[in-house]
Amino acid sequence: MTLEKEPTILVIFGGMGDLTWRKLAPALYNLLVDHELPERFAIIGLDVKNDSLAEFRLRLKDGANRFCRCGGVDEENWNNISGNINFLSGDFADPAIYAALNERLKAYEKKWDSPANQVLYLATPPGIVETIVKRIGSARLADNEQHVRIVVEKPFGHDLASAVALNAVLTKVFDETQIYRIDHYLGKETVQNILAFRFANALFEPIWDRRYIDHVQITVAEQVGVEHRGEYYEHAGVLRDMIQNHLMQILCLIAMEPMVSFDANEIRNKKVDVLRAIRPTLEDQVQQLAVRGQYGAGRINGHKVPAYRAEPSVATDSPAETFAAIKLFVDNWRWQDVPFYLRTGKRLQKKLSEVMIQFRPVPHQSFPTTATMAWQPNHLIIYIQPEEGIVLQFQAKQPGSILHLSPVDMHFSYQETFKSRLPEAYETLLTDVMMGDATLFMRADQVEASWSALTPILNASENIISADFPNYLSGTWGPEAADILIAQDGRSWNHSTLEENEKK
Ligand code: BG6
């Protein structure tokens, strides 16, 4: 079915910025090549930098060229869009730029002889968001609830209080249905597939609870350091940068109850239920339930890399964490007392995002002990990136006259099965905003519930002395305390990749 695409104008605040260059430009170009953009489509870039239209077009083209999954920009395709790329420069606090924007929007609608969907994308630093929203409100650019949408990037607030305040500013100008809070993890195919895996199959749901599941691990490990984002990271740290949003959202998809329909609000209601059921971590328990770390110098893929404290714009005695591991519980009938271990960090040994579900042991071991030396519990591993697939580990009898059981794997790989590269998260998310589908975006209450769940850990972290920082070497799996966190429960982190499992 071809969905009808209404005329659309994408307005990018922060048009010359890093996000536009690295993520939006390549995503838009891929959508163009795949004929996913509306026929009548225009981009209006806004930036405080005093650049020219030609420079803006070049910047977008360069971003598309470098980062698109299509392998480079084709001139003919580019020419199809380049004429509809516009640029306005000015101060975002100055009403003049909003008046100029309004004129440009109206001119397009006049030219197309049709109202257009207007997607106002805030690809700006968080500090300016409130000002932009207020100015949009004063310029009456948000009044058309049906056609105007705003996209707000993370970080969405710095803590619960600031998130509530930001939501208040946004909802004063926009209706909640117009607000699209992005968490790009939700746009990843492998993350979206969690719902399909759980609810489009009859096999897994009956065993998806505390009776059969021993624990869940959610890992997002990165090899990169903070790169050029030291200034932001000094204020954020990994708890705010990754756990509050990406890892919590994955947790919701794993733990939520089946939705009644695929309606955006129905799915989001089910996710909020999970966040609200997270057991409050008492501040005096934080030391037992959470570990923070910061990378020291080390080697990644054989290359020397500097310590976090030696990165640009980072204080030499910085207390910011670049690694965190936490243990959470979801207090409801399904999950009571099943630990969810969340772990993420920068400069770790491998890039690896995955969810591992470990099932309980069989209730009675009827095989002789000699047969079960290599026995392992069943595991289901959902590989999110860079490899994309699912592995189910179970026991099999090794061929031979002596009875030996050993774990074996069943594999599903996206690349092997679907033979094509998966769309980037931003392609999916941009398409959804243009179509007015908010399923993959966060609602105000979701963001607030997630901050609420994390608040005790954030508060306590601020008081936990980071005297032992840096406490892990770049190129390792993080601080020893993270291994202890899980080992004290008689468990261990999974580090195996899809490829390693395939080779076993
Ligand atoms: C961003 C974080 O949201 O996600 C970054 O701000 C992090 O610090 C990035 O590197 C990871 O995204 P991905 O898609 O590369 O896993």
Side-chain angles (χ1 to χ4, degrees):
M1 187 180 71
T2 320
L3 292 164
E4 194 193 324
K5 295 195 175 88
E6 295 173 358
T8 302
I9 305 167
L10 175 65
V11 179
I12 309 176
F13 290 81
M16 295 300 286
D18 197 66
L19 179 78
T20 308
W21 176 64
R22 207 180 276 270
K23 296 288 185 191
L24 302 185
L28 287 164
Y29 183 73
N30 283 328
L31 291 176
L32 173 80
V33 174
D34 291 347
H35 306 288
E36 296 287 347
L37 289 179
E39 211 159 290
R40 284 169 290 177
F41 179 74
I43 298 173
I44 306 178
L46 276 71
D47 209 288
V48 287
K49 291 202 185 114
N50 202 9
D51 292 292
S52 65
L53 171 61
E55 281 165 312
F56 178 56
R57 286 182 177 164
L58 259 184
R59 175 95 171 145
L60 289 187
K61 190 174 176 185
D62 183 55
N65 213 5
R66 281 189 205 219
F67 303 113
C68 82
R69 66 188 161 89
C70 56
V73 165
D74 167 87
E75 285 303 320
E76 205 182 316
N77 277 328
W78 184 253
N79 290 341
N80 284 338
I81 194 169
S82 137
N84 274 324
I85 297 177
N86 307 261
F87 186 68
L88 297 169
S89 80
D91 180 354
F92 290 152
D94 182 353
I97 195 163
Y98 301 86
L101 172 62
N102 199 10
E103 271 179 35
R104 218 44 87 88
L105 292 168
K106 288 215 171 98
Y108 265 108
E109 290 189 324
K110 195 166 171 216
K111 180 170 145 195
W112 291 337
D113 192 23
S114 159
N117 287 334
Q118 298 166 16
V119 176
L120 310 177
Y121 200 120
L122 306 192
T124 57
I128 189 79
V129 167
E130 282 198 22
T131 307
I132 297 177
V133 172
K134 286 179 182 160
R135 295 290 182 280
I136 288 173
S138 320
R140 321 272 341 192
L141 290 176
D143 289 4
N144 188 334
E145 283 186 22
Q146 197 198 333
H147 286 291
V148 179
R149 291 155 209 162
I150 184 159
V151 182
V152 189
E153 274 284 343
K154 63 166 270 275
F156 198 90
H158 186 71
D159 52 18
L160 178 59
S162 54
V164 171
L166 182 53
N167 277 330
V169 171
L170 272 163
T171 48
K172 219 169 165 187
V173 176
F174 293 90
D175 185 73
E176 178 64 34
T177 55
Q178 295 176 275
I179 306 171
Y180 290 71
R181 298 172 191 81
I182 273 205
D183 181 322
H184 79 280
Y185 264 64
L186 295 178
K188 291 183 190 278
E189 284 288 330
T190 41
V191 173
Q192 292 179 64
N193 190 49
I194 296 174
L195 284 190
F197 181 80
R198 286 191 57 199
F199 302 133
N201 296 295
L203 266 186
F204 305 104
E205 206 42 32
I207 54 167
W208 208 261
D209 64 31
R210 63 191 303 276
R211 292 170 306 161
Y212 295 96
I213 292 181
D214 174 77
H215 77 277
V216 177
Q217 293 181 20
I218 301 174
T219 296
V220 177
E222 297 187 275
Q223 282 191 320
V224 290
V226 288
E227 301 176 299
H228 54 282
R229 299 197 306 157
E231 203 181 322
Y232 154 72
Y233 225 79
E234 285 288 89
H235 297 285
V238 84
L239 284 163
R240 291 185 169 87
D241 185 47
M242 300 291 288
I243 295 208
Q244 188 273 339
N245 34 73
H246 306 326
L247 279 88
M248 286 292 207
Q249 288 300 317
I250 297 174
L251 183 150
C252 287
L253 292 168
I254 295 293
M256 68 187 256
E257 293 301 316
M259 61 277 179
V260 174
S261 67
F262 215 73
D263 170 73
N265 272 330
E266 164 64 5
I267 294 177
R268 297 191 292 180
N269 288 344
K270 294 290 190 277
K271 289 191 189 174
V272 174
D273 286 346
V274 174
L275 293 168
R276 293 205 177 122
I278 291 179
R279 186 180 301 170
T281 309
L282 301 177
E283 293 202 9
D284 62 359
Q285 292 175 343
V286 171
Q287 297 267 32
Q288 286 88 55
L289 300 175
V291 169
R292 294 165 73 237
Q294 188 192 77
Y295 63 82
R299 284 180 178 274
I300 296 279
N301 299 335
H303 299 291
K304 275 190 181 172
V305 293
Y308 173 70
R309 288 177 176 179
E311 301 275 18
S313 313
V314 170
T316 49
D317 58 351
S318 168
E321 80 280 340
T322 60
F323 175 99
I326 60 176
K327 175 168 142 186
L328 295 173
F329 291 94
V330 177
D331 280 342
N332 60 19
W333 275 56
R334 187 189 283 263
W335 295 115
Q336 193 65 37
D337 294 332
V338 176
F340 285 77
Y341 299 95
L342 276 54
R343 173 180 62 149
T344 181
K346 296 210 179 276
R347 287 282 188 233
L348 299 183
Q349 202 178 96
K350 285 181 207 157
K351 180 172 171 68
L352 175 67
S353 298
E354 54 153 55
V355 179
M356 191 199 77
I357 290 146
Q358 180 170 316
F359 291 87
R360 288 187 186 280
V362 287
H364 170 64
Q365 194 57 274
S366 34
F367 294 94
T369 353
T370 48
T372 55
M373 309 282 266
W375 183 90
Q376 274 183 18
N378 298 125
H379 290 124
L380 176 78
I381 311 174
I382 301 174
Y383 288 101
I384 294 173
Q385 63 180 29
E387 294 163 317
E388 293 150 330
I390 296 178
V391 165
L392 181 64
Q393 297 178 332
F394 55 94
Q395 315 306 306
K397 179 189 171 298
Q398 283 180 21
S401 53
I402 303 172
L403 182 60
H404 275 307
L405 303 176
S406 64
V408 292
D409 293 352
M410 251 164 57
H411 290 251
F412 154 62
S413 148
Y414 279 80
Q415 272 72 30
E416 279 167 28
T417 307
F418 297 115
K419 312 271 187 255
S420 63
R421 288 192 63 183
L422 304 182
E424 291 291 332
Y426 275 91
E427 293 171 42
T428 307
L429 296 171
L430 277 169
T431 307
D432 285 0
V433 188
M434 292 193 260
M435 302 291 294
D437 180 354
T439 313
L440 299 178
F441 295 82
M442 291 182 296
R443 225 171 38 191
D445 54 352
Q446 264 179 292
V447 176
E448 290 173 14
S450 179
W451 277 118
S452 252
L454 209 60
T455 297
I457 297 177
L458 286 170
N459 288 347
S461 319
E462 255 129 55
N463 304 325
I464 297 172
I465 313 294
S466 43
D468 65 340
F469 279 8
N471 58 355
Y472 69 98
L473 297 179
S474 288
T476 64
W477 280 108
E480 209 187 334
D483 295 330
I484 298 172
L485 175 86
I486 193 163
Q488 67 198 4
D489 298 339
R491 302 175 176 118
S492 59
W493 295 109
N494 179 56
H495 296 144
S496 63
T497 61
L498 184 64
E499 196 187 350
E500 284 160 359
N501 277 313
E502 261 163 2
K503 284 189 188 144
K504 269 200 305 200

